[in-house]
Amino acid sequence: MKAKHLLILVAIISTSCSKSVLSDMEITDPHLLKVKVKIEQNVHDEKEVQVFIRDKNNRPVDLLSGRVIVNEQAVRFDRAEVNAAGTRGYIYYPHYNEQIFKITIYWNSYDSHTFILSPQNGWPGFKYPNCSCNYEPDQLNGSYSLKPAPFYNNEIDIVYNIMNW
């Protein structure tokens, strides 16, 4: 009986991590896509801007003929590493002093939406240590939505989890 439950659990986990069927088709309706941007920074000052594109069942979408561009750089569909437990999305590694992120999502080869994350619209920016002290910083967490957007619920969810030195 335990083996049966274990097999069911493995099946659930493996299917929940699989790519969406939307990954195999050109997207013409952006309302099919949920967009979430997570900005992460850990105690080692490793940083990522993670652009997660999901379907209605929260499965990752690897845009077939689309792409994601952050600060004029095309980013790959990959596994996030900073505080994300290997979740798949489009991952950008900011340069040391970058605080503003211009993100363009092409859901197909010609349709796109561009938005900017900056201190003027809710993203507080990365914090940096004031000294070379050896203490554990607090974490600064927050979330908000950018509206209007052409995606599911007409919004883009923004979440940040950064160090508060």
Side-chain angles (χ1 to χ4, degrees):
M1 189 67 162
K2 288 183 182 182
K4 180 180 177 182
H5 293 293
L6 182 61
L7 286 174
I8 291 171
L9 180 62
V10 168
I12 290 171
I13 291 172
S14 66
T15 58
S16 66
C17 297
S18 63
K19 285 185 193 177
S20 167
V21 296
L22 295 177
S23 296
D24 297 327
M25 62 182 68
E26 182 163 315
I27 308 293
T28 57
D29 182 2
H31 279 91
L32 297 173
L33 304 173
K34 295 179 183 179
V35 176
K36 178 180 187 178
V37 177
K38 285 182 77 178
I39 302 175
E40 301 277 357
Q41 177 186 29
N42 65 20
V43 294
H44 306 292
D45 200 30
E46 297 168 322
K47 298 175 272 206
E48 289 179 343
V49 176
Q50 306 158 350
V51 181
F52 298 119
I53 300 175
R54 303 286 187 251
D55 67 11
K56 67 178 182 173
N57 297 316
N58 285 323
R59 289 202 172 107
V61 176
D62 183 2
L63 299 166
L64 179 66
S65 58
R67 63 192 180 282
V68 175
I69 297 172
V70 180
N71 290 355
E72 308 302 325
Q73 180 180 339
V75 294
R76 292 184 6 194
F77 186 76
D78 206 351
R79 290 198 176 274
E81 295 177 12
V82 178
N83 302 328
T87 306
R88 292 186 294 177
Y90 293 87
I91 312 301
Y92 176 76
Y93 303 97
H95 300 288
Y96 178 76
N97 58 352
E98 283 184 294
Q99 295 286 357
I100 297 173
F101 301 103
K102 178 181 175 186
I103 300 171
T104 301
I105 299 171
Y106 284 86
W107 53 90
N108 56 43
S109 59
Y110 49 89
D111 292 318
S112 68
H113 179 71
T114 299
F115 56 98
I116 296 176
L117 303 181
S118 70
Q120 289 76 27
N121 70 7
W123 154 239
F126 291 112
K127 309 296 182 204
Y128 296 100
N130 294 345
C131 66
S132 59
C133 307
N134 291 328
Y135 69 92
E136 289 290 318
D138 295 330
Q139 289 189 321
L140 179 61
N141 303 303
S143 64
Y144 60 98
S145 293
L146 290 178
K147 296 180 182 183
F151 306 110
Y152 182 81
N153 280 344
N154 297 314
E155 67 184 11
I156 299 168
D157 291 325
I158 311 297
V159 176
Y160 55 88
N161 181 16
I162 61 175
M163 297 296 101
N164 191 22
W165 303 94

